[in-house]
Amino acid sequence: EQLAAGNLGILIFVFGLIMVFLTLSAQYESYIDPMIILLTVPLALLGALGAIALRGLVNDVYCNVALVMLIGLASKNAILIVEFANQAREQGMSLTQAALTAAEERFRPILMTASSTLLGFWPLVIAEGAGAASRWSLGTALFGGLLVATILSLLIVPVLYVVIKNLEDRFLKGN
């Protein structure tokens, strides 16, 4: 049964991405902002799978659960930056200045929530006793994914925001 259900992890991950994209599209009434936000998910996957590989663990069902959880955990930082950048643009700031202001204003809250979440995941990473292997897999994927996604999203989301919004302004709005 486990071999037969092995490919369902990918399908569940894709459906998770679709659900988050549709929810964000409804919230922002746009397809562009959710695309910027969801481009941070590969950063979390990079960190999660890299941490799993570094520890010599396998991509099992617990790792797949962590990957689905990372969709939301990685997206929350980008949501904050994109939302604040959109508000700054409404106040008349340029595209670049809005992205920089949003990243600066949200830097401390993002680091505070990420560090408290990482601290909460740490016991899973160093678990001992019965069932520790499942907790290692889950905790390592979550810890590595969130750590890499947080660090890289603070650098990449403002850049993605400027690039994609410039393309939107040029091609979709006809400016």
Side-chain angles (χ1 to χ4, degrees), residues 9-19 71:
I10 296 169
L11 187 62
I12 291 169
F13 183 78
V14 169
F15 281 139
L17 277 175
I18 291 170
M19 290 302 297
I71 295 171

Side-chain angles (χ1 to χ4, degrees), residues 1-6:
E1 283 184 40
Q2 187 175 2
L3 292 175

Side-chain angles (χ1 to χ4, degrees), residues 125-158:
V125 175
I126 60 169
E128 294 181 10
S134 62
R135 292 190 294 261
W136 291 339
S137 183
L138 181 70
T140 301
L142 287 171
F143 191 88
L146 185 59
L147 181 66
V148 170
T150 300
I151 293 168
L152 292 180
S153 69
L154 287 169
L155 301 171
I156 292 176
V157 170

